[in-house]
Every structure is written in C-alpha cells, then in structure tokens.
Amino acid sequence: MSENPDLAPKGSFILIMVFFASFVLFYLLNWKQLAAIWHVG
C-alpha cells in the first residue's frame, strides 16, 4: 500500500467527514422544513 503509514487513514477520515456533513445537512434541512409546516404556538 503506502510507504508512509501516517498517510494511510486520510481517505477514510475524508469519507467519514463527507458522510457526517451530509447527515448534518439533511438534519438541518428537515428541521427547517418541519418548522415551516408545523405552526406551533
């Protein structure tokens, strides 16, 4: 694989960050959509 073991997990970390960012984005979009639909108060 890679000669330098310090560089090995960077691709996995980037992939995890992409999934985390997408989950946060979907969470915030769903929260905004629910706030627009449900008029509480």
Side-chain angles (χ1 to χ4, degrees), residues 19-31:
F19 279 116
F20 180 72
S22 66
F23 288 143
V24 169
L25 180 66
F26 283 125
Y27 178 81
L28 291 175
L29 288 175
N30 284 328
W31 184 268

Side-chain angles (χ1 to χ4, degrees), residues 1-19:
M1 296 254 196
S2 179
E3 292 179 11
N4 191 353
D6 293 336
L7 300 177
K10 283 194 175 182
S12 298
F13 181 73
I14 291 172
L15 188 63
I16 290 169
M17 286 296 115
V18 167
F19 279 116

